[in-house]
Each structure stands twice: as C-alpha cells, then as structure tokens.
Amino acid sequence: MENYSGFAYVYDRLMQDVDYDGWTDYIEEIFQKYKASPVNIADLACGTGNITNRLAQRRYNLIGVDLSEDMLQIAQEKAASIGVEVIYLNQDIRELLLPTELDAILCICDGINYIIDEMDLMEVFRAVYQHLKKDGLFIFDISSQYKLSHVLGQNTFAENYEEVSYIWENYFDENRQICDFDLTIFMKEKDLYRKHEESHSQKAYREDEVLSFVKQIGFKRTDVFDAFSFNKPKKNSERLYFVCQK
C-alpha cells in the first residue's frame, strides 16, 4: 500500500464512475438493518476520503485512517472544500491506534484485500474489536476470490483521457491466491506526459476464511452479504460485505 504516492493524484479521476453516494447510502442501510445509531465512526484505508467525507456530510463524526500521506492530503483538501471536519490519521491499520472507542468502524473498497498475511489480518481484526464499543459494528468488504481470479486476473485494462492514461495489467497466482497489479500511468505535464509505474497486490480471501477469522476474535454476530444488498453471496459475487457486531 505504500506505493500509492504517485497513484494518489490520479485515483479519483480513474474512479470517477464509482457511485460513492450509493455506496454511502448502503452503509446507512446497514446501520438501519442492525438498529444502530452510530455517532463516532472510523473509516480505515480511507484513501482520498470519498466515503469518509460523505458520511461526515451526513453529520457523523469521522476519523479517516490511511497509510498514504498523499491520499490523506487530498482527503483533507476535499473535506475543507465541502465544509466538513474529519480527523485524518496517517497509520498502518495493522498497527491501529485510535483516540477513543467507536460506535462503528469501516474498511471499504478492498482495504482488507491489501492485507496479504493472514496473521496481519488477524491483528487488524483484533485492533478493530478493541476499539469498538459494546454492540459496535465493524463493516468491511472484500473483492471476492472469484473477482480477483476470474474478472481481474490475467486481464489487462486501459483508459486514455486527455490529462491521464493508464495501463493496468493483472496476474493471478493460484498457489499464493494473490493478484498482482502492475500500473503504468501517464500524467500530462504541460506538453509532455510523465510516466509513473506502480505495483500492488491483493489477497483473495474466501468467505469462510474471513468468517473464521472474525469469529476467533470474538464478535458475537457475523453476517456476509452480496454487495449493495442483503442477499446471500453467489458463486460469481464480485464483492462481499461483512457486518460484525461486538
């Protein structure tokens, strides 16, 4: 995740088709389903604050946590531009240290997939549990094993815009269950384009693996849904949502 330094500046442009408002609506629907009325929320691996700032606009108190200083700077600038106050912390979520107990903790849009080592993932879950109030909710998603192995794996994607273009090459390793992403980004600077190269990796976790991990930590209730619904996951679900209650 430390490789986001160059990618941070084009991330929002490349994610411009994502329905962040709908994504935020879904999180609030989860709150309603679990009869939760959270006030203080942390958003882990928050990136450029697209979900964090939207929740802050809806009058929740937000803490945003990310490993990338560049991502956080952009998130802070966006928060200031829409007049919301968010506490942004530069932390590795594997070493999470938050200033207070929270009503809900989120980790949205693949943050969990970036935790490659299973023991590290257990540390993340353990830290989240410790920072939640009793009955607090931990809501997170993953790109599914199906998505990483069949949709992204072994495929190449490319987009060409006036100010930025990219080539995104993916390689899925069946033995390691890891999808490696090689990104080549061309950003316009005056009359020329500057080339940036980055590599990222995501772990393909199975639904039963993740449920086993969170149950070991001690969450009293754990549910998993096909993303943006409350239906059971299908074999070809591309994103899974987990809701865990302390």
Side-chain angles (χ1 to χ4, degrees):
M1 286 186 287
E2 67 274 8
N3 291 329
Y4 268 104
S5 56
F7 190 41
Y9 295 102
V10 296
Y11 179 81
D12 286 332
R13 179 64 181 269
L14 302 182
M15 299 288 283
Q16 62 185 349
D17 293 331
V18 174
D19 181 10
Y20 288 113
D21 291 321
W23 212 321
T24 308
D25 291 342
Y26 179 59
I27 292 169
E28 290 200 304
E29 289 171 13
I30 294 174
F31 294 158
Q32 293 166 11
K33 179 177 176 63
Y34 287 78
K35 297 181 172 56
S37 300
V39 176
N40 300 313
I41 301 171
D43 185 15
L44 310 184
C46 65
T48 61
N50 290 307
I51 300 293
T52 326
N53 291 336
R54 281 172 170 80
L55 285 169
Q57 282 184 303
R58 301 187 189 194
R59 302 191 182 283
Y60 301 98
N61 298 326
L62 265 295
I63 298 172
V65 180
D66 203 273
L67 185 60
S68 167
E69 293 182 4
D70 295 316
M71 288 281 199
L72 291 175
Q73 181 179 343
I74 294 169
Q76 289 172 325
E77 291 171 356
K78 287 157 66 175
S81 71
I82 59 176
V84 298
E85 294 185 7
V86 176
I87 298 171
Y88 281 108
L89 302 176
N90 180 214
Q91 290 185 14
D92 185 329
I93 64 172
R94 294 170 294 187
E95 302 173 356
L96 190 64
L97 185 61
L98 300 177
T100 184
E101 286 188 326
L102 297 154
D103 303 305
I105 296 179
L106 316 175
C107 190
I108 306 302
C109 197
D110 298 355
I112 295 299
N113 293 103
Y114 280 103
I115 308 298
I116 301 299
D117 184 84
E118 292 181 2
M119 295 303 295
D120 286 343
L121 184 59
M122 290 290 285
E123 286 302 312
V124 172
F125 290 161
R126 188 173 289 110
V128 166
Y129 187 88
Q130 292 171 348
H131 283 92
L132 279 173
K133 293 181 179 178
K134 186 178 183 298
D135 298 320
L137 295 179
F138 178 33
I139 302 168
F140 64 94
D141 68 21
I142 62 171
S143 282
S144 68
Q145 199 274 348
Y146 170 80
K147 177 182 176 181
L148 291 177
S149 62
H150 290 84
V151 178
L152 298 183
Q154 323 311 334
N155 286 319
T156 298
F157 305 91
E159 294 281 357
N160 184 23
Y161 302 104
E162 175 63 26
E163 296 178 355
V164 60
S165 300
Y166 72 89
I167 302 169
W168 177 14
E169 299 174 279
N170 304 309
Y171 312 92
F172 187 76
D173 187 318
E174 286 283 352
N175 293 325
R176 297 186 301 143
Q177 288 293 294
I178 288 177
C179 193
D180 293 315
F181 310 138
D182 288 334
L183 284 159
T184 305
I185 303 166
F186 300 90
M187 293 192 294
K188 190 172 185 179
E189 296 183 8
K190 297 182 179 180
D191 295 329
L192 301 175
Y193 287 83
R194 183 179 297 276
K195 180 181 179 181
H196 295 265
E197 293 181 312
E198 307 210 3
S199 295
H200 305 271
S201 297
Q202 289 191 2
K203 173 85 173 203
Y205 288 104
R206 300 191 316 272
E207 174 187 341
D208 61 322
E209 284 182 306
V210 178
L211 287 174
S212 173
F213 295 156
V214 293
K215 287 176 181 177
Q216 287 180 54
I217 297 301
F219 286 96
K220 68 180 181 181
R221 179 179 180 182
T222 57
D223 298 313
V224 57
F225 305 108
D226 189 10
F228 312 116
S229 76
F230 295 108
N231 300 324
K232 292 182 178 180
K234 304 183 292 291
K235 288 184 178 180
N236 62 347
S237 294
E238 295 188 19
R239 184 171 300 280
L240 306 182
Y241 257 82
F242 294 81
V243 183
C244 309
Q245 190 167 35
K246 181 172 179 178

